[in-house]
Amino acid sequence: MSFVDFMIIGAMKSGTTTLANMLSQHPDICFSRKKEPHFFSKTENWQLNIDDYRALYTPTEGKLCGEASTSYACYPEFNKTTYKSLYEFNPELKIIYVMRHPIDRMVSHYMHTYLRGYINSSFEEAVMHHPSYVNRTRYFTQIKPYLECFGPERVFLLTFEEFLSDKQAVLQRIASFLEIDYSRMSDFEDVHRNKSIGSSKKSIKIEQLRSARWTKQVRSLLPTTLKKNLYELLHRMTVRTLDEKPSVSENLNKVLWDLVMLDVLEIEKLMQRELVEWNIPRSSPAHLEMIDSKA
């Protein structure tokens, strides 16, 4: 059944698109035509629909197939046992998990949902009332089932910050992990990255409107030019932009670190190093509690 060799399941807004774009330039890698299929997290009875998933790939002989769906690390949202589905699909699957500075990831996640029109509240209100911002940043909680299921030798842990600081070294390590020839990698500097500041995103409201059954019926009766003009008008009416990142108060910053600190410390154990690139506040209650427990 298995025809996919690796998955990038990095946390949302942690650089998975950048990494996928870089790896896709390698001649021995074939990514799914749809960057984030979310097949195993959002498809009921995925075994019965596996041909639809297979159709997303057109590899030549000898190529490795991969995809990058962040929803595979969004526990407890979507399929709560995605890791089991992936193991059933391919027990030899290799997993790349990309993480980002926890607060930065939450801020970027918020900016994305705000620009898309999913949310109207401030950053502080959003993170306090919507668990997904914090849950998706509990990195150890997200990756632990994969480590237990596939084994640590098949899981590659990476922070986006170390990736940006030395792309060449990190890509060499990933090439070794995937068992591909690094020397065949294309220029890894000139790649696209998701950006939120100063940009706009397609409103979810437009997508919902376009997918509604009555809308499809009306659209079929309209001339192409009129449909295009209506779409552009709707886009102008709903588009949002952000000129700067939302600020995080000192108190909120402390609260958010306390919520994710135990996960961060467990990730440090797994990576066998301090995540100095995150400038972790070592005086947090969670960190002090762990120190006390070792005394």
Side-chain angles (χ1 to χ4, degrees):
M1 180 188 294
S2 63
F3 49 87
V4 175
D5 304 280
F6 71 95
M7 299 275 182
I8 301 175
I9 64 165
M12 177 184 178
K13 311 308 292 183
S14 292
T16 56
T17 296
T18 299
L19 179 58
N21 283 345
M22 286 185 176
L23 292 179
S24 68
Q25 297 177 55
H26 196 288
D28 293 333
I29 287 181
C30 171
F31 268 94
S32 58
R33 287 199 298 275
K34 187 176 182 181
K35 186 256 178 180
E36 293 194 79
H38 303 296
F39 180 76
F40 294 95
S41 56
K42 297 184 179 181
T43 306
E44 292 187 18
N45 300 317
W46 62 266
Q47 297 91 336
L48 301 179
N49 295 281
I50 199 67
D51 288 340
D52 294 337
Y53 184 56
R54 188 188 299 271
L56 296 177
Y57 297 89
T58 53
T60 56
E61 186 177 354
K63 280 195 174 187
L64 297 180
C65 289
E67 68 146 300
S69 290
T70 56
S71 64
Y72 297 167
C74 288
Y75 178 82
E77 303 166 68
F78 312 116
N79 176 1
K80 293 180 177 59
T81 57
T82 300
Y83 63 96
K84 289 184 179 179
S85 297
L86 288 172
Y87 188 79
E88 181 182 343
F89 170 66
N90 181 9
E92 301 299 316
L93 194 69
K94 292 184 177 180
I95 307 293
I96 300 174
Y97 186 54
V98 194
M99 301 161 284
R100 182 181 178 182
H101 183 290
I103 311 303
D104 289 350
R105 196 217 71 80
M106 287 186 235
V107 169
S108 187
H109 183 175
Y110 164 79
M111 292 167 67
H112 174 83
T113 51
Y114 175 83
L115 289 173
R116 289 274 279 149
Y118 286 106
I119 202 163
N120 298 310
S121 58
S122 67
F123 173 67
E124 182 164 355
E125 291 173 330
V127 295
M128 290 294 101
H129 292 94
H130 298 275
S132 66
Y133 292 99
V134 172
N135 284 341
R136 296 187 189 189
T137 320
R138 288 191 167 116
Y139 300 137
F140 181 70
T141 299
Q142 298 296 342
I143 199 60
K144 181 174 180 283
Y146 289 94
L147 291 165
E148 294 175 343
C149 202
F150 289 93
E153 69 281 359
R154 307 198 76 81
V155 178
F156 187 97
L157 299 178
L158 170 68
T159 73
F160 189 48
E161 291 78 15
E162 70 173 312
F163 178 55
L164 292 182
S165 69
D166 194 344
K167 298 186 187 74
Q168 182 174 356
V170 169
L171 287 173
Q172 286 178 329
R173 288 166 49 208
I174 292 176
S176 177
F177 176 68
L178 295 178
E179 299 180 89
I180 57 174
D181 186 355
Y182 170 77
S183 67
R184 303 188 71 196
M185 192 80 71
S186 300
D187 180 8
F188 50 77
E189 293 294 340
D190 185 21
V191 294
H192 166 76
R193 291 186 209 160
N194 280 333
K195 296 181 180 179
S196 296
I197 295 296
S199 65
S200 61
K201 296 183 182 294
K202 187 184 298 183
S203 172
I204 188 62
K205 295 177 182 178
I206 295 179
E207 292 185 16
Q208 291 170 341
L209 183 64
R210 295 184 71 181
S211 62
R213 181 177 300 178
W214 69 269
T215 306
K216 292 180 180 179
Q217 293 173 343
V218 172
R219 283 168 55 198
S220 66
L221 302 175
L222 298 177
T224 301
T225 302
L226 180 56
K227 285 189 288 188
K228 181 180 178 181
N229 291 339
L230 285 173
Y231 175 76
E232 291 177 350
L233 175 61
L234 286 171
H235 178 71
R236 289 195 297 271
M237 291 173 62
T238 58
V239 68
R240 290 176 169 180
T241 59
L242 283 169
D243 296 324
E244 59 182 9
K245 290 184 178 181
S247 60
V248 183
S249 69
E250 184 177 344
N251 286 338
L252 179 59
N253 186 72
K254 180 180 181 300
V255 168
L256 295 178
W257 270 113
D258 286 345
L259 290 173
V260 301
M261 181 58 77
L262 291 177
D263 277 79
V264 169
L265 296 175
E266 291 297 330
I267 291 295
E268 286 190 325
K269 288 182 184 178
L270 290 172
M271 299 186 76
Q272 298 183 336
R273 70 177 182 88
E274 287 193 1
L275 297 172
V276 293
E277 62 267 40
W278 288 354
N279 192 27
I280 298 167
R282 302 288 171 176
S283 60
S284 74
H287 183 244
L288 294 175
E289 180 182 338
M290 178 166 283
I291 293 175
D292 290 341
S293 68
K294 294 178 179 179

